[in-house]
């Protein structure tokens, strides 16, 4: 697994300027699990057909792509449907994440790699990472930031958050915590301190072999 190559994961609440973006500006290599998830359901991919077989063609847009704004309300209103979608998509996201992380690590054995994943525990990505960082904020802020990021209603944002693991449980499982409920400067200060720790971990890692 990618635990062996020292990949670090970050769970972010949807910030206007995300923690992952801030680390990217510091030279950290970011693997965006959400983007991988988007790619996994593109036409022609195996997951695309499996999702259509389960949910029907009503979730497609006019160009034949899966419309996440149609699919979202279905799965976030029904835990069984969400489990069905996750069973199709999550394993593919984990496999692709591991593939990309291993490739980058071979080419850049002393770089810090962060997997940016909102569902880092639910998708079981977290279990294969060297360290897990949880960036969190107050519930009302989380709702507002998700509404802004995903372009969904308050009701839809609240439903999506309720479908996730409670933030208290994520914080309990984390190796590092970033409180994003204050100013951007306060968030950056915490992110910088953790970045120095991540660099120490990477510098102490033996060069990749093979």
């Amino acid at each position: 697994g990618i635990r062996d190559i020292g990949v670090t994961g970050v769970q972010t609440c949807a910030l206007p300027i995300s923690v992952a973006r801030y680390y990217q500006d510091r030279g950290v290599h970011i693997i965006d699990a959400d983007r991988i998830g988007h790619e996994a359901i593109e036409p022609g991919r195996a997951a695309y057909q499996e999702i259509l077989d389960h949910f029907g063609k009503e979730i497609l847009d006019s160009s034949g792509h899966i419309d996440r704004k149609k699919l979202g309300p279905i799965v976030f209103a029904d835990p069984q449907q969400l489990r069905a979608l996750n069973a199709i998509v999550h394993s593919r996201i984990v496999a692709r994440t591991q593939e990309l992380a291993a490739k980058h690590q071979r080419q850049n054995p002393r770089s810090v790699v962060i997997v940016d994943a909102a569902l880092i525990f639910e998708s079981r990505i977290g279990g294969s990472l060297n360290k897990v960082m949880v960036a969190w904020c107050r519930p009302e802020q989380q709702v507002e930031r998700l509404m802004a990021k995903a372009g969904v209603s308050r009701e839809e944002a609240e439903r999506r958050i309720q479908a996730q693991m409670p933030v208290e449980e994520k914080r309990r499982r984390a190796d590092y915590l970033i409180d994003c409920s204050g100013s951007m400067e306060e968030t950056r200060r915490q992110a910088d301190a953790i970045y120095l720790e991540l660099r120490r971990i990477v510098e102490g890692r033996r060069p990749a072999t093979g």
Side-chain angles (χ1 to χ4, degrees):
I2 54 180
R3 176 180 290 277
D4 302 329
I5 55 173
V7 175
T8 300
V10 55
Q11 145 78 39
T12 61
C13 64
L15 290 166
I17 303 172
S18 74
V19 171
R21 177 69 58 81
Y22 182 62
Y23 278 122
Q24 193 169 33
D25 292 342
R26 297 293 304 266
V28 173
H29 182 70
I30 305 294
I31 296 174
D32 186 340
D34 191 47
R35 182 181 300 169
I36 292 172
H38 280 244
E39 294 170 353
I41 64 172
E42 285 291 305
R45 302 291 184 94
Y48 174 87
Q49 191 57 51
E50 287 186 37
I51 291 170
L52 285 195
D53 289 345
H54 183 86
F55 292 97
K57 294 185 177 180
E58 295 76 18
I59 61 169
L60 296 179
D61 63 18
S62 58
S63 64
H65 290 75
I66 292 171
D67 188 335
R68 290 162 69 96
K69 290 190 175 181
K70 291 181 180 179
L71 181 59
I74 296 171
V75 298
F76 291 113
D78 184 341
Q80 188 171 344
Q81 296 283 40
L82 182 60
R83 283 194 294 271
L85 178 65
N86 289 343
I88 295 170
V89 177
H90 278 176
S91 62
R92 292 180 167 94
I93 294 175
V94 172
R96 181 63 175 156
T97 298
Q98 292 179 334
E99 179 187 344
L100 291 173
K103 179 181 178 181
H104 181 81
Q105 206 74 51
R106 284 194 300 270
Q107 297 169 347
N108 307 274
R110 294 206 176 277
S111 72
V112 176
V113 177
I114 284 178
V115 177
D116 181 10
L119 302 179
I120 206 156
F121 297 114
E122 293 91 333
S123 66
R124 295 186 170 83
I125 295 175
S128 61
L129 300 169
N130 185 276
K131 298 287 183 182
V132 174
M133 182 193 322
V134 169
W136 62 280
C137 53
R138 295 193 302 273
E140 179 59 25
Q141 291 174 311
Q142 190 177 11
V143 170
E144 291 173 355
R145 291 168 180 177
L146 182 55
M147 288 169 62
K149 181 182 180 182
V152 296
S153 67
R154 178 174 296 275
E155 182 183 10
E156 179 67 15
E158 290 174 346
R159 192 178 291 130
R160 290 188 183 197
I161 291 168
Q162 288 167 3
Q164 296 179 14
M165 180 184 291
V167 68
E168 294 81 7
E169 177 65 13
K170 291 179 179 179
R171 288 168 58 183
R172 190 185 68 77
R173 295 188 184 198
D175 299 292
Y176 305 113
L177 292 170
I178 298 182
D179 179 356
C180 302
S181 60
S183 69
M184 200 63 210
E185 187 54 43
E186 290 169 343
T187 299
R188 286 186 178 127
R189 190 159 51 242
Q190 297 170 74
D192 274 337
I194 294 171
Y195 174 75
L196 294 176
E197 176 65 22
L198 298 181
R199 286 256 33 114
R200 281 194 289 269
I201 292 172
V202 169
E203 292 303 325
R205 187 190 304 153
R206 289 178 297 177
T209 57

